Amino acid sequence: MKKLSLLLAVTISIVFTSCKKEVSPELELTVFEAKGGPAKSKKVKIFVTGDQYRVFNAKAIDSAKTDAFGKAYFKFDNTILVDVYLYGDKGAIVDSTSVLCETKRLKRNEKNVIERTMTFN
């Protein structure tokens, strides 16, 4: 009886630890200078596609400055398509891209990070 209960306990623990759950997407942007090094303190803005001039979702309309490694991070609650704009020192758009950030079913402790790069000229 002890062996049967031990087997049952092991089986239940395996089932619960291997269950997949929905993981919200995170966007990691890396901005490089044209010469190849990281672009520090550059302004990056995100908008919901086609919604640059209206307030649609507060988490989907955001901005950040790149860190010392040229990286900027954004987190979202659900699947979303965003436009990403990189601004120059004078406020003009230098580079842009669109990114689909999808919610995925992943195992425990797995992260849903979408990585993209942009170039600052």
Side-chain angles (χ1 to χ4, degrees), residues 14 20 23-24 36-37 50 52 57 68 70 73 83 85 87-88 90 100:
I14 289 173
K20 292 184 177 182
V23 179
S24 297
Q52 294 91 320
N57 180 347
Y73 304 91
D83 291 331
Y85 297 100
Y87 288 86
K90 296 181 181 178
L100 178 62

Side-chain angles (χ1 to χ4, degrees), residues 46 48 56-63 74-77 80 82:
I46 58 169
V48 173
F56 181 77
N57 180 347
K59 286 194 173 189
I61 301 174
D62 199 2
S63 65
F74 301 96
K75 292 184 179 184
F76 306 102
D77 293 333
I80 190 165
V82 292

Side-chain angles (χ1 to χ4, degrees), residues 21-25 102-106 110-112:
K21 64 176 186 167
E22 287 193 2
V23 179
S24 297
E102 294 183 278
T103 301
K104 294 181 180 177
R105 293 189 61 81
L106 300 172
E110 286 186 318
K111 294 191 176 191
N112 185 9

Side-chain angles (χ1 to χ4, degrees), residues 45-118:
K45 283 188 176 182
I46 58 169
F47 298 98
V48 173
T49 301
D51 198 39
Q52 294 91 320
Y53 307 106
R54 294 180 285 148
V55 176
F56 181 77
N57 180 347
K59 286 194 173 189
I61 301 174
D62 199 2
S63 65
K65 287 207 173 216
T66 57
D67 62 12
F69 302 102
K71 294 188 179 280
Y73 304 91
F74 301 96
K75 292 184 179 184
F76 306 102
D77 293 333
N78 298 307
T79 298
I80 190 165
L81 177 63
V82 292
D83 291 331
V84 183
Y85 297 100
L86 174 62
Y87 288 86
D89 298 328
K90 296 181 181 178
I93 296 173
V94 177
D95 195 4
S96 65
T97 187
S98 293
V99 181
L100 178 62
C101 301
E102 294 183 278
T103 301
K104 294 181 180 177
R105 293 189 61 81
L106 300 172
K107 292 181 182 178
R108 283 190 179 192
N109 301 326
E110 286 186 318
K111 294 191 176 191
N112 185 9
V113 179
I114 295 95
E115 299 177 8
R116 295 291 185 269
T117 60
M118 300 179 87

